[in-house]
Amino acid sequence: MRVLVVTAVPAERDAVTRASGDVSEPSVRRIPGAELHRAGPFDVLAGGAGPAAAAAATAFGLASGPYGLVVSAGIGGGFAPVAPVGSLVVASGIVAADLGAETPGGFVPVTGLGFGRDRFTPPPAQVRDVAAATGALTAEILTVSTVTGSAARAAALLAAHPRAGAEAMEGFGVAEAAERAGVPALEIRAVSNAVGPRDRDAWRIGDALAALTDAFGKLVPVLEGWTHHDRNDS
């Protein structure tokens, strides 16, 4: 099974490709707006920050396929105490947490306005397999266009989404493009900082990138098992 992995920035892309061993010069192929770096079963691209860039990059990546799975991956913020710095989260739900409208009564999600959708549910069996192989927490991952920078905002997000474990900026865009292409999507985040007041001195970006590499290394045999199962079912 070939897997399209979509990250925001090159540092995250390179962390994923390192999981396949010595890829100092990975096979690189150009697609509109990005480069696909092939390493083992993964074709990895850095599609840019935010859901719009992620959706566009995913769509172009999928058009170069075929792929059996798409993964939105990278570092992100974790909601304490559920997902501490250094932990890994695999999404049980990919949620657009700020897609909607502000009203005098508070935030109304886009679904409450009568159109669109605000969440995707990754395949539960694959989520369980990934969590078991990597030791990841299973929780909702929130997609936001504005990263949280205050305790009040973190509390408001948790009140609206009590099953949230992490926030990032790309997952919903990746899932939207994958859904339209008929390809299942997962999201995996290594926690580099706590969601809340921005304290850059407390961020552990290097540790989170190393955790991302470790996680994707552990995914290779999982993917091989899925491919074997698919062949047996065909």
Side-chain angles (χ1 to χ4, degrees):
M1 176 191 292
R2 291 225 60 81
V3 179
L4 177 66
V5 183
V6 182
T7 72
V9 297
E12 295 167 322
R13 178 198 65 206
D14 296 344
V16 174
T17 60
R18 281 195 295 272
S20 294
D22 183 11
V23 287
S24 55
E25 294 185 6
S27 171
V28 177
R29 180 159 53 95
R30 291 287 308 176
I31 62 171
E35 294 178 342
L36 276 175
H37 288 224
R38 174 161 290 190
F42 307 118
D43 285 357
V44 194
L45 64 84
T58 304
F60 280 121
L62 286 170
S64 73
Y67 294 99
L69 179 70
V70 182
V71 181
S72 175
I75 64 176
F79 287 96
V82 174
V85 173
S87 63
L88 197 71
V89 183
V90 57
S92 58
I94 301 171
V95 183
D98 57 5
L99 181 61
E102 290 289 345
T103 74
F107 177 76
V108 177
V110 68
T111 51
L113 302 175
F115 57 90
R117 64 187 300 173
D118 64 355
R119 70 179 54 233
F120 291 93
T121 301
Q126 293 183 330
V127 170
R128 288 193 298 270
D129 288 349
V130 171
T134 62
L137 163 74
T138 300
E140 291 182 349
I141 299 180
L142 308 184
T143 299
V144 294
S145 294
T146 301
V147 173
T148 300
S150 69
R153 177 60 175 161
L157 285 173
L158 273 181
H161 306 283
R163 292 175 292 183
E167 75 166 20
M169 301 181 73
E170 292 80 34
F172 190 82
V174 172
E176 184 78 72
E179 170 79 8
R180 297 187 182 208
V183 180
L186 302 176
E187 183 171 8
I188 301 172
R189 294 287 165 180
V191 176
S192 60
N193 58 278
V195 176
R198 291 174 67 80
D199 179 7
R200 294 184 67 93
D201 290 337
W203 292 2
R204 297 292 180 266
I205 292 176
D207 292 344
L209 292 172
L212 198 64
T213 300
D214 182 65
F216 273 84
K218 293 173 178 175
L219 283 185
V220 173
V222 176
L223 295 172
E224 291 172 350
W226 290 343
T227 300
H228 179 72
H229 176 74
D230 292 342
R231 286 172 178 167
N232 285 346
D233 285 349
S234 62

